[in-house]
């Protein structure tokens, strides 16, 4: 007889057995019971407390980034009477998921109320009102989240699947929201995490009192959407700093159906949100601002336009960025997610279904749907999975819903699909689409953006020859630009342009119907933020090393220099004659390189170079400021405020640093708080003809003036022009100032007085000495 250990060693690979099941009447292209060797021979048992789902209807949570996963298979979590985590699309037997009892404070039950996938290989799960992370990678284990100050019921997050290696895309996945929809909290208190659910902190939404039904981070609208229930159910929107006055359209549903209301923020960041009860389904294509009620095609098999109601109603919902499927107790429906069509079609029925099997649905790939439920093994603690694979295109051809048109498109393609782009301040991005409609269909593409508050576009469709089949071929050119500079919207429509945000752009075909399954919408994520590869550096003519004043090896060998006690202020306020000692500074050659060589009595303007992707772009023409990182103040500026052309009082280092508790110049002045003196700020703010103007610009006349002090300066330069870039452009460099005469210890005042006394004494001697000689001669003659 085979032993369990022997079986596990011999069957290292999964053995999949396909079993036809004749009792199921769903439109399956293939029916199979999936099991593996472990389900027959393994003696493994679940350790810990078995997890179970709080809802009587099971659900399935899929990681949305299948395109970024190994072999294109997304991890999936089955939530039902048992909870199962599958990394291979439920193609093997599984043990139910458990949690260690030590994490649950001696509780004998582990009830899951919500779960979502994290950034990489972790699950964020709400168990008994607490938030826990389950790491399912190489190092499996549970971690209890910190900062959960009260019981929560739900967690939510968004996924950026466009470029997981991009730091901004990854930051989207790290943002997790936890909230309690059963207990109204003062000011709409929610908990947010910026580290994928490890730690949470409180965020106050300051909304009017009312239960929170759902909270989502709408990435491509740069808002948090809070679904609240007062007189009506609707979204209210906020960013992490303030609540917007904008509210979404009220959801019209019967009051008794509110407890069973379910929602889903469809992945892809296009803005689709689903709302459903047992009886009805609504969806929004614009983050809940407007709502549409779904309609069902009437067919011979299902001559109704609404879903079955009550216990016969909706049990499970699955959606991708372009498809949706609805499972009721005995019926299956399918539809496409687009801006125009809100219709679904009935594609299958199972009269033998009792609704007790725990069936759920999930999309395996575009046009492939899977219906599955767990089946306990008769020999071990493992569970197998009964699966029904459904080929949507083939099923639709058999259904042929009346009124449904065939796909009117032959080609809809663009290289930008499912990619991420950056659009910096005042820049332009061009996207191109190839579109070929079927003859006689009169179909045409349309363009939408999810966040028109920050992004505008222009689209131009032009004919460009014919295909080999003789069909007309069209080129669609899309120009993307920042809404702030597009002159297309009122100023009140453009909030917070300094920070930027995200928006998706989608190209789809008007009224393309259900049969364009493979002709999915073209979508790209546009980040109006700082491109990660953009930076500045200083343009240099010559260095102290190239002129032989310093040696590179000497600078690298723990070189240090001394700043005179009268030449610096540790609080960066330019104070002089402080009771302090000289400052020894270690030279950071790896960061600074060789210092730039400057002559002390020549006015100097740093010239900044902008680089992106290691390519020179331009010399920076924007306003910037500069400070010495060790507090040196032996330099000044050429122009006064009035000479610089200011019409209002400009900012300066002293006033900005004094207003900070940490006296940190690195954060005191930036593009986020810069105010140009070339803008009128009222009569109370006037420039001075005595104060020096401390802002520099390549195209202006202000310069740096050095005092007669030879030495090394380490400067940090910060671009403060808020209209130049979303980047916080900054760099550090060193200069060596030379040519000043050594400081003399002789007091010039005393020296001048002594010199004058000497001259005066000499004059007296020259004038009176001859007279004294004559007088002396007369006296001698008298005596003789």
């Amino acid at each position: 007889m085979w032993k369990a250990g022997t079986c596990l060693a011999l069957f290292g690979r999964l053995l999949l057995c396909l079993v036809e099941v004749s009792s199921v009447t769903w439109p399956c292209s293939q029916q199979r019971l999936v099991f593996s060797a472990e389900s027959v021979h393994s003696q493994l048992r679940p350790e810990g407390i078995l997890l179970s789902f709080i809802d009587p209807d099971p659900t399935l949570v899929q990681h949305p980034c299948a395109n970024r996963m190994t072999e294109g298979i997304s991890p999936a979590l089955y939530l039902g009477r048992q909870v199962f985590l599958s990394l291979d699309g439920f193609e093997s037997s599984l043990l139910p998921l458990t949690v260690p009892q030590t994490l649950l404070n001696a509780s004998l039950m582990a009830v899951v109320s919500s779960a979502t996938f994290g950034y990489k290989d972790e699950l964020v799960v709400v168990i008994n009102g607490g938030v826990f992370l389950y790491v399912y990678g190489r190092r499996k284990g549970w971690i209890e989240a910190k900062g959960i100050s009260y019981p929560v019921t739900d967690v939510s997050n968004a996924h950026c699947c466009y470029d997981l290696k991009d730091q901004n895309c990854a930051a989207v996945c790290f943002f997790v929201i936890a909230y309690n929809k059963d207990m109204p909290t003062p000011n709409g208190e929610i908990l947010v995490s910026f580290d994928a659910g490890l730690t949470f902190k409180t965020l106050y939404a300051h909304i009017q009192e009312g239960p929170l039904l759902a909270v989502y981070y709408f990435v491509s609208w740069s808002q948090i959407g809070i679904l609240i229930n007062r007189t009506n159910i609707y979204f209210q929107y906020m960013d992490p700093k303030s609540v917007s006055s904008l509210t979404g359209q009220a959801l019209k549903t019967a009051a008794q159906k509110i407890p069973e209301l379910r929602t889903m923020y469809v992945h892809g960041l296009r803005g689709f949100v689903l709302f459903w009860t047992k009886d009805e389904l609504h969806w929004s294509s614009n983050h809940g601002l407007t709502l549409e009620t779904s309609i069902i095609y009437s067919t011979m098999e299902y001559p109704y336009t609404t879903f079955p109601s009550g216990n016969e109603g909706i049990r499970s919902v699955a959606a991708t960025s372009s498809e949706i499927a609805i499972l009721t107790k005995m019926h299956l429906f399918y539809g496409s997610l687009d801006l125009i069509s809100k219709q679904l079609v009935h594609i299958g029925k199972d009269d033998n279904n009792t609704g007790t099997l725990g069936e759920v649905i999930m999309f395996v790939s575009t046009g492939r749907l899977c219906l599955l439920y767990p089946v306990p093994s008769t020999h071990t603690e493992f569970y197998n999975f009964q699966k029904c694979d459904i080929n949507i295109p083939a099923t639709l051809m058999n259904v042929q819903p009346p009124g449904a048109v065939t796909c009117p498109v032959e080609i809809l393609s663009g290289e930008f699909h499912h990619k991420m782009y950056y659009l910096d301040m005042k820049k332009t991005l061009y996207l191109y689409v190839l579109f070929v409609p079927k003859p006689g269909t009169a179909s045409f593409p349309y363009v939408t953006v999810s966040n028109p508050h920050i992004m505008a576009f222009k689209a131009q469709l032009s004919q460009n020859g014919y295909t080999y089949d003789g069909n007309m071929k069209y080129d669609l050119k899309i120009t993307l630009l920042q809404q702030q500079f597009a002159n297309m919207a009122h100023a009140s429509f453009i909030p917070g342009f300094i920070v930027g945000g995200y928006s998706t752009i989608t190209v789809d075909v008007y009224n393309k119907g259900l049969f364009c399954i493979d002709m999915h919408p073209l979508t790209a994520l546009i980040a109006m933020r700082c491109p990660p590869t953009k930076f500045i550096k200083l343009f240099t003519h010559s260095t102290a090393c190239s002129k032989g004043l310093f040696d590179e090896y000497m600078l690298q060998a723990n070189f240090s220099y001394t700043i005179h006690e009268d030449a610096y202020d540790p609080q960066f306020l330019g104070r002089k004659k402080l009771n302090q000692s000289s400052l020894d500074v270690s030279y950071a050659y790896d960061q600074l390189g060789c210092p730039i060589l400057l002559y002390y009595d020549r006015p100097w303007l740093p010239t900044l170079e902008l680089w992106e992707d290691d390519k020179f772009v331009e010399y920076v023409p924007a306003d910037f400021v500069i400070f010495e990182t060790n507090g040196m103040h032996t330099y000044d500026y050429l122009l006064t405020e009035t000479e610089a052309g200011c019409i209002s009082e400009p900012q300066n280092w002293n006033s900005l640093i004094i207003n900070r508790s940490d006296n940190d110049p690195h954060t005191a002045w930036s593009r986020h708080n810069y105010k140009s003196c070339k803008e009128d700020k009222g009569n109370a703010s006037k420039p001075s003809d005595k104060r020096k103007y401390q802002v520099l610009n390549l195209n202006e006349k202000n310069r740096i003036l050095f005092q007669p002090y030879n030495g090394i300066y380490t400067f940090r330069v910060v671009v403060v022009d808020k209209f130049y870039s979303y980047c916080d452009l900054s760099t550090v460099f060193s200069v060596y100032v030379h040519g000043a005469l050594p400081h003399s210890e002789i007091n010039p005042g005393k020296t001048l007085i002594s010199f004058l006394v000497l001259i005066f004494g000499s004059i007296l001697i020259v004038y009176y000495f001859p007279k004294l000689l004559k007088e002396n001669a007369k006296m001698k003659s008298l005596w003789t």
Side-chain angles (χ1 to χ4, degrees), residues 283 322-325 333-337 343-345 363 514:
W283 68 47
S322 59
E323 297 176 281
I324 182 173
F333 302 86
Y334 172 83
S336 61
L337 281 178
Q343 292 183 316
L344 297 97
V345 62
F363 281 98
L514 295 172

Side-chain angles (χ1 to χ4, degrees), residues 716-741:
R716 177 169 290 279
V717 63
V718 181
V719 176
V720 294
D721 190 338
K722 65 180 65 177
F723 296 104
Y724 182 64
S725 172
Y726 288 115
C727 299
D728 294 323
L729 296 171
S730 177
T731 190
V732 62
F733 58 90
S734 64
V735 301
Y736 177 68
V737 177
H738 72 111
L741 294 175

Side-chain angles (χ1 to χ4, degrees), residues 762-781:
S762 300
I763 293 173
L764 290 178
I765 291 173
V766 171
Y767 179 75
Y768 284 106
F769 188 70
K771 288 187 175 183
L772 289 175
L773 291 176
K774 290 180 179 180
E775 290 293 331
N776 188 37
K778 287 181 180 180
M779 292 297 296
K780 286 183 178 182
S781 63

Side-chain angles (χ1 to χ4, degrees), residues 422 424 531-535 610-617:
Y422 281 90
D424 203 357
T533 58
K534 181 171 285 190
F535 63 95
L610 180 68
W611 289 70
E612 186 173 4
D613 295 326
D614 292 326
K615 297 179 181 179
F616 173 76
V617 178

Side-chain angles (χ1 to χ4, degrees), residues 188-225:
E189 180 178 319
I190 60 177
L191 301 170
V192 296
S193 171
F194 296 91
D195 55 10
L198 283 172
T199 58
F200 287 83
K201 66 179 183 179
T202 302
L203 178 68
Y204 295 97
H206 298 291
I207 61 174
Q208 299 182 16
E209 185 176 354
L212 308 181
L213 301 181
V215 184
Y216 295 110
Y217 177 31
F218 294 138
V219 179
S220 58
W221 201 32
S222 303
Q223 297 282 323
I224 293 177

